Amino acid sequence: MNYVISLDPGKDTTKVMGTALTKDLILESIKPNHFLSRMYDLNNGYIDVEGNDSHKVVFNGEEFIIGKQGGEVRNFDTSKENPLHKLCSYVAITQYLEPESKENKIYVVLACPITVLSNETAKQSYKDFIKGNGVIKINVDNNNYEFEIVEIMFKAEGSGIRYLMPNLFINKKVGVIDFGGQNMTFTLFTDGSCANPQKDRFAEDLGAVQLINYVSDALTDHNKKGNRVHVKVAEEALNRGYGLDYGKKDESTVEYIKNAKVRFFNEACALIARHAISLRDLDTVICVGGTTQHLDEQITDKLPNSMIAANSQFTNVEGLFKVAIKKYGKIN
C-alpha cells in the first residue's frame, strides 16, 4: 500500500497528517495527529504506558516510551539528527498503517529547519537520517509495523500556511512568524514566494521555552520571596492564564503573566527588526505555531495588520499535506 504523509517533528510536539492512497479517498475527513516529542529509555527502569498520549516502542532491540510519559523535559538539542526525532517520525507514520501489513511505501513531505534547508550537505544528511536504509521495522504499542520511506520532500518550517491559504499571499507582502517550542522562524513572502531566502527567511532562539522562562521570572517577582518559581509551575500558569493560591485562582498573577507575554512578543518583534524588516510596512503579518495560541492579545494589540491562523499548531502540517497530496496523490 502507498501512503502520503506530511510530518512536522517539532522539538516540543510532533505533528503528522497522512492517508493511504485508496480509490475511495476523502481528503476532507483526514485530520492531523500529534504527541509530545519526549522519549524515555526503558533501560533506565520499567514503567507501564498509560493513556492515549504515550506509546511503547521497540526499535532495533531497544525499548522506549514516546510521548507524554517520555518525561517533562523538552529536547534542547539544536540538531534534529537524534534518536528522538527519528523515533517520533516513525511512530507518527505508524498511526496510519495497518499492523502486521507488508510492503508499505511511504512518501513524505517533511518540515525542515531553515538552517538545514540552506545547506545541501546538511539537507542530504538529514534526509538520509530520517529515510533510513530500506525496510524499517518497529513495534508500537505491541503491534508490528513495516514500511519503507521511498521519498522525502523538504519544505521550510513555517511555510505550511502558504499552501493552506494561498489567496492570502497574492499581490501582497506577507510576513509569517512561526512560534515553536524552541525557535521562532520568520519568512517574508512577496506575491507568494520568498524571493531572497538568505535575507528574507531566518530563525531565532525564541520559542515556548523562553516564554515559560519569562513567566517564571514574572511569577517570581510576584511572590517577592526570592525563591524562583519552577518552570513546570510557570508552564501550568501560562496554560491557565493565572497562578494558583492553595488551589484557587490567584487574580493578582494575571497581569504578571500578561506582562511576560508582552515581554516575549516585544523581543520577537525586535529580533525581526534587526534583520531590517519593518512589520508595519507589510500588508499582513500571519502568526502560526503552537506558542502563538498564548499570544493572541499581545499580537493583535501590537500589530493591527496581524492575522492569527486558526488551529495554529497544525497550520504547517496541514499545509504540507496539501503539497504531499499534489505531488504524490496519484502514485499507483
Side-chain angles (χ1 to χ4, degrees):
M1 180 70 72
N2 294 321
Y3 291 81
V4 170
I5 302 285
S6 63
L7 186 59
D8 185 2
K11 289 183 172 62
D12 181 70
T13 305
T14 295
K15 286 81 64 179
V16 62
M17 196 167 176
T19 184
L21 293 176
T22 59
K23 292 182 179 180
D24 57 350
L25 177 61
I26 302 175
L27 293 177
E28 290 75 15
S29 66
I30 302 169
K31 303 299 179 184
N33 291 317
H34 71 288
F35 52 86
L36 292 178
S37 301
R38 311 282 197 275
M39 181 173 71
Y40 174 74
D41 189 336
L42 285 169
N43 284 326
N44 295 327
Y46 187 84
I47 59 175
D48 289 323
V49 176
E50 298 177 356
N52 297 322
D53 44 18
S54 298
H55 305 278
K56 181 182 176 182
V57 177
V58 181
F59 183 66
N60 288 342
E62 297 184 278
E63 294 183 308
F64 306 91
I65 289 180
I66 297 294
K68 187 174 182 179
Q69 282 184 271
E72 297 180 354
V73 179
R74 286 176 167 80
N75 170 41
F76 295 100
D77 190 345
T78 56
S79 170
K80 286 200 173 183
E81 286 192 33
N82 58 63
L84 171 63
H85 284 289
K86 175 178 282 192
L87 283 176
C88 285
S89 297
Y90 292 173
V91 170
I93 289 170
T94 64
Q95 295 185 27
Y96 299 92
L97 307 183
E98 290 294 327
E100 307 293 344
S101 59
K102 309 289 184 181
E103 298 183 6
N104 296 308
K105 307 295 184 182
I106 313 297
Y107 297 84
V108 179
V109 175
L110 180 64
C112 182
I114 62 174
T115 52
V116 173
L117 200 62
S118 60
N119 184 302
E120 283 300 321
T121 300
K123 188 166 70 170
Q124 188 60 50
S125 178
Y126 185 37
K127 181 179 290 189
D128 292 342
F129 178 76
I130 296 296
K131 189 172 184 292
N133 185 18
V135 175
I136 294 161
K137 297 182 180 182
I138 188 170
N139 183 287
V140 179
D141 298 327
N142 298 315
N143 293 308
N144 292 316
Y145 296 92
E146 288 189 17
F147 59 90
E148 181 181 3
I149 300 176
V150 178
E151 190 171 324
I152 296 177
M153 170 190 275
F154 282 143
K155 289 292 182 181
E157 288 181 337
S159 66
I161 187 69
R162 163 67 182 83
Y163 308 104
L164 190 64
M165 306 180 72
N167 290 340
L168 295 177
F169 295 81
I170 297 174
N171 297 323
K172 292 182 178 180
K173 293 191 74 172
V174 178
V176 176
I177 307 174
D178 181 6
F179 288 112
Q182 187 168 322
N183 300 324
M184 172 191 76
T185 300
F186 179 88
T187 306
L188 177 63
F189 291 95
T190 303
D191 194 19
S193 66
C194 182
N196 186 351
Q198 298 300 320
K199 177 183 177 183
D200 296 340
R201 177 178 285 153
F202 52 85
E204 298 284 354
D205 292 332
L206 190 74
V209 171
Q210 191 60 53
L211 176 56
I212 292 166
N213 283 333
Y214 288 168
V215 173
S216 176
D217 290 343
L219 293 179
T220 299
D221 290 342
H222 168 267
N223 288 347
K224 298 180 175 63
K225 295 178 180 178
N227 296 324
R228 183 169 179 80
V229 172
H230 193 277
V231 291
K232 183 61 177 178
V233 175
E235 182 175 8
E236 292 170 350
L238 173 63
N239 291 333
R240 286 191 304 265
Y242 57 86
L244 295 178
D245 185 20
Y246 291 101
K248 295 182 179 180
K249 180 179 180 180
D250 186 348
E251 291 284 358
S252 65
T253 62
V254 173
E255 283 302 313
Y256 282 82
I257 294 172
K258 286 184 178 180
N259 290 339
K261 294 180 183 181
V262 169
R263 176 186 177 189
F264 175 87
F265 190 63
N266 284 345
E267 183 173 343
C269 292
L271 288 171
I272 293 169
R274 291 177 192 172
H275 289 267
I277 292 175
S278 172
L279 296 178
R280 69 185 302 163
D281 293 332
L282 303 182
D283 291 290
T284 313
V285 179
I286 304 176
C287 296
V288 302
T291 306
T292 300
Q293 298 170 17
H294 297 299
L295 302 169
D296 293 31
E297 182 179 336
Q298 290 69 38
I299 292 169
T300 54
D301 283 352
K302 190 175 182 68
L303 300 177
N305 58 341
S306 64
M307 170 188 167
I308 299 172
N311 208 19
S312 61
Q313 183 179 14
F314 301 108
T315 300
N316 202 40
V317 76
E318 289 179 337
L320 298 190
F321 185 70
K322 291 188 70 173
V323 175
I325 288 295
K326 184 175 182 179
K327 182 170 179 62
Y328 302 119
K330 295 183 179 180
I331 292 174
N332 295 321

